[in-house]
Amino acid sequence: MMEWETVIGLEIHAQLATKSKIFSGAAIAYGAEPNTQACAIDLGMPGVLPVLNQDAVRMAAMLGLAIGAQVAHRSVFARKNYFYPDLPKGYQISQYELPVVQGGHLTVDLEDGSSKVIGITRAHLEEDAGKSLHEDFQGLSGIDLNRAGTPLLEIVSEPEMRSAKEAVAYMKKLHQLVVYLGICDGNMQEGSFRCDANVSVRRKGAPQFGTRAEIKNLNSFRFVERAIDFEVERQIDLIESGHKVVQETRLYDPDKGETRSMRSKEEANDYRYFPDPDLLPLIVDEAFIEAARAALPELPDAKKQRFAEQYGLSGYDAGVLTVSRELAAFYETVVASLGSEPKLCANWVMGDFSAFLNKENREIADSPVNAEQLAGLLRRIQDRTISGKLAKDVFEAMWAGEGDADTVIEKRGLRQITDTSAIEKVIDDVMAASPDQLAQYRAGKDKLFGFFVGQVMKLSKGKANPQQVNDLLMEKLKG
Ligand code: ADP
Ligand code: MG
């Protein structure tokens, strides 16, 4: 069997979280009434001039610093010319030869626990186009220019990913980073973070890359994985049946699970890039870069490493807890509030707490149980007021709004029984009620120990301290 190698490079568009557009003062307001958020500049009226939004540059610089790139002291905006109804000027302002961010890399965590460094070629600033609306217009198309002029940062990777899973891991890592940095809301459904995937295949060991296809506008991690997997199969089939891959742009159809040709290289646009005469070169001085550096939060990798060291957590746990700044902050508040046992805190934040959030699709900010309240519950496990098992019921009640841990424990009478004589009393009752099992146990049927534990826990409504039950039973069953 012939061995194939997949080669993938991603171009990711992150919509920058500025208040206004990149070259005008119009607001960015997703979901607003069509054509209410576009001013004369966004509409491409004659005689108007673009003015660069400094906040977009600051955000680009933050990304550059976070990926170890060069933030260019001088970069240039260029016109990318093409005709499309949602592009009123007839050109998109982008950066071409001299982008604001050059080089850089991202360390990506793979499923097998290893990591891989993926090179980043560049990141450039550009404006988004408007949107064509194809529904509700009886055979015509509507145009909504609210999105026109929205700032985008296009982040271009080196062709260094070797599987769909690696590509998804890279995309997730970049997504996490831009959201951490606060430069992008990361909302993929609304198109704030989307990806064009360049895919080719070659025989293992071949000195050169194969011809690539570019799959446009993938807006979910799942689609990226499926589209690439489909495309790899398609290209391998083509070559193995004696055909050639043609360089082209393709679209992924999620309903059919396949990619389709959109335009081939011959039909490709010649964008006739040239420097935009309406915009001066972008000059970024050292002070500006230093200010951006000072605004950087603790980055995901650094936070993960600190969590592992400071709290004695595994790399896996540290990774889960630092997946977002919000979850990490929540965890740290629980630990600070409890004051000990960071591993117990980790188990609860990653376990029941996250499970309840996910189940109800809630943000941490509107969780019904806050960090101090969760710590309050853990304190009652620690001081053995309740068992870890009953704590799950208490947590559920807290989530349902029944009050804090102590209130629920009192109200429901869940306080753990740690009084030896009380537990012994229950054990005596159980032994008296099960003479056959007792005889069998004493005749050597050790397995029945579990039966007695179960009976004692049942009779005590789960409240007997499990460790004490074990110890006392061991003694008493001996006779
Ligand atoms: P273009 O200017 O046509 O967009 P680029 O050279 O900028 O092309 O590359 C765009 C993306 O395609 C980059 O992410 C790059 O890593 C990727 N790429 C380039 N060649 C290949 C290839 N043969 N197979 C897969 N990806 C590729
Ligand atoms: Mg490109």
Side-chain angles (χ1 to χ4, degrees):
M1 205 188 76
M2 182 50 78
E3 289 268 295
W4 292 95
E5 182 175 59
T6 302
V7 174
I8 302 159
L10 299 184
E11 296 166 276
I12 288 179
H13 288 90
Q15 182 182 313
L16 296 177
T18 55
K19 291 202 177 64
S20 57
K21 295 192 174 169
I22 184 168
F23 298 118
S24 85
I28 308 228
Y30 182 87
E33 194 64 20
N35 299 309
T36 57
Q37 313 291 324
C39 69
I41 293 174
D42 309 319
L43 296 175
M45 293 295 182
V48 297
L49 287 173
V51 177
L52 179 58
N53 182 339
Q54 179 170 304
D55 224 21
V57 181
R58 185 181 61 80
M59 292 180 182
M62 285 173 74
L63 178 92
L65 294 169
I67 60 172
Q70 285 292 325
V71 178
H73 287 289
R74 182 177 178 279
S75 64
V76 171
F77 285 100
R79 290 186 180 180
K80 177 178 179 179
N81 300 279
Y82 65 93
F83 175 78
Y84 203 74
D86 65 17
L87 189 74
K89 294 197 298 292
Y91 60 86
Q92 175 194 26
I93 305 176
S94 182
Q95 296 191 304
Y96 188 53
E97 277 168 355
L98 291 174
V100 64
V101 171
Q102 300 171 9
H105 56 84
L106 207 58
T107 304
V108 168
D109 311 306
L110 303 177
E111 274 182 348
D112 66 3
S114 67
S115 57
K116 176 172 175 176
V117 178
I118 305 292
I120 291 173
T121 318
R122 57 185 278 158
H124 60 257
L125 284 164
E126 61 185 26
E127 59 177 345
D128 207 346
K131 245 185 211 165
S132 301
L133 309 170
H134 300 295
E135 282 160 24
D136 309 329
F137 292 96
Q138 283 110 16
L140 302 173
S141 287
I143 301 292
D144 174 10
L145 292 171
N146 284 353
R147 202 179 65 181
T150 298
L152 300 176
L153 189 62
E154 178 174 339
I155 304 149
V156 182
S157 85
E158 291 292 316
E160 292 179 350
M161 285 151 278
R162 292 292 175 268
S163 69
K165 286 219 162 27
E166 271 185 35
V168 170
Y170 166 83
M171 192 177 171
K172 283 189 173 159
K173 194 71 187 264
L174 191 58
H175 182 266
Q176 179 193 36
L177 181 61
V178 296
V179 175
Y180 250 75
L181 291 172
I183 65 173
C184 174
D185 68 18
N187 190 324
M188 296 174 72
Q189 263 146 15
E190 294 178 0
S192 301
F193 189 85
R194 52 195 201 255
C195 161
D196 302 338
N198 295 270
V199 181
S200 66
V201 298
R202 63 173 168 184
R203 295 186 197 279
K204 276 232 167 92
Q208 263 151 21
F209 290 148
T211 305
R212 73 183 144 118
E214 177 175 4
I215 314 164
K216 280 279 181 200
N217 254 326
L218 298 160
N219 70 344
S220 90
F221 297 122
R222 202 172 342 123
F223 291 171
V224 167
E225 182 165 349
R226 289 186 187 161
I228 293 173
D229 280 337
F230 176 89
E231 186 57 23
V232 168
E233 283 302 309
R234 188 187 71 86
Q235 293 184 12
I236 291 174
D237 286 350
L238 267 178
I239 301 170
E240 288 188 337
S241 61
H243 299 86
K244 279 200 169 116
V245 175
V246 292
Q247 187 169 340
E248 62 182 353
T249 305
R250 298 179 72 85
L251 278 183
Y252 177 66
D253 178 341
D255 298 323
K256 295 214 172 85
E258 60 185 34
T259 64
R260 274 200 301 274
S261 181
M262 191 171 121
R263 57 171 183 261
S264 70
K265 199 183 178 185
E266 288 74 56
E267 309 159 67
N269 294 307
D270 172 4
Y271 293 119
R272 294 166 291 126
Y273 280 98
F274 62 88
D276 192 316
D278 287 344
L279 286 157
L280 291 169
L282 169 57
I283 304 299
V284 174
D285 64 16
E286 214 39 58
F288 187 89
I289 296 173
E290 282 320 306
R293 197 190 304 278
L296 291 178
E298 184 180 26
L299 299 179
D301 286 345
K303 202 187 271 290
K304 178 179 168 185
Q305 199 183 334
R306 177 171 67 79
F307 271 39
E309 286 165 9
Q310 183 174 342
Y311 301 119
L313 302 173
S314 68
Y316 176 82
D317 287 359
V320 173
L321 291 168
T322 56
V323 75
S324 72
R325 281 169 74 176
E326 290 76 16
L327 189 67
F330 185 92
Y331 170 73
E332 295 208 274
T333 310
V334 176
V335 177
S337 178
L338 188 63
S340 61
E341 291 201 69
K343 177 61 183 159
L344 175 70
C345 298
N347 290 344
W348 274 83
V349 172
M350 296 190 303
D352 292 58
F353 178 73
S354 292
F356 275 65
L357 276 185
N358 291 343
K359 197 169 65 188
E360 297 183 4
N361 209 358
R362 281 186 195 247
E363 301 289 328
I364 289 174
D366 55 50
S367 158
V369 176
N370 69 28
E372 283 81 9
Q373 290 165 330
L374 178 55
L377 172 65
L378 304 189
R379 201 167 294 121
R380 294 298 162 254
I381 300 175
Q382 241 176 13
D383 67 14
R384 312 214 305 172
T385 303
I386 52 171
S387 67
K389 193 153 177 286
L390 274 185
K392 288 175 172 291
D393 300 338
V394 177
F395 180 77
E396 195 174 348
M398 291 165 70
W399 191 275
E402 285 186 35
D404 63 16
D406 289 341
T407 308
V408 173
I409 291 167
E410 287 314 318
K411 204 162 68 184
R412 297 192 170 190
L414 297 177
R415 197 169 273 283
Q416 185 163 242
I417 304 168
T418 51
D419 171 15
T420 307
S421 59
I423 296 175
E424 280 177 334
K425 168 82 175 53
V426 179
I427 292 177
D428 291 340
D429 290 349
V430 166
M431 283 165 58
S434 316
D436 295 349
Q437 284 86 345
L438 185 59
Q440 287 174 34
Y441 178 82
R442 288 188 171 153
K445 202 167 173 194
D446 290 346
K447 271 198 289 188
L448 279 172
F449 189 75
F451 163 80
F452 286 102
V453 172
Q455 291 301 106
V456 173
M457 293 312 288
K458 194 170 157 194
L459 201 62
S460 72
K461 301 199 176 64
K463 292 191 286 184
N465 176 279
Q467 189 55 52
Q468 285 172 286
V469 170
N470 264 285
D471 297 346
L472 293 170
L473 259 179
M474 202 58 98
E475 277 308 306
K476 289 204 159 253
L477 287 178
K478 273 190 213 152

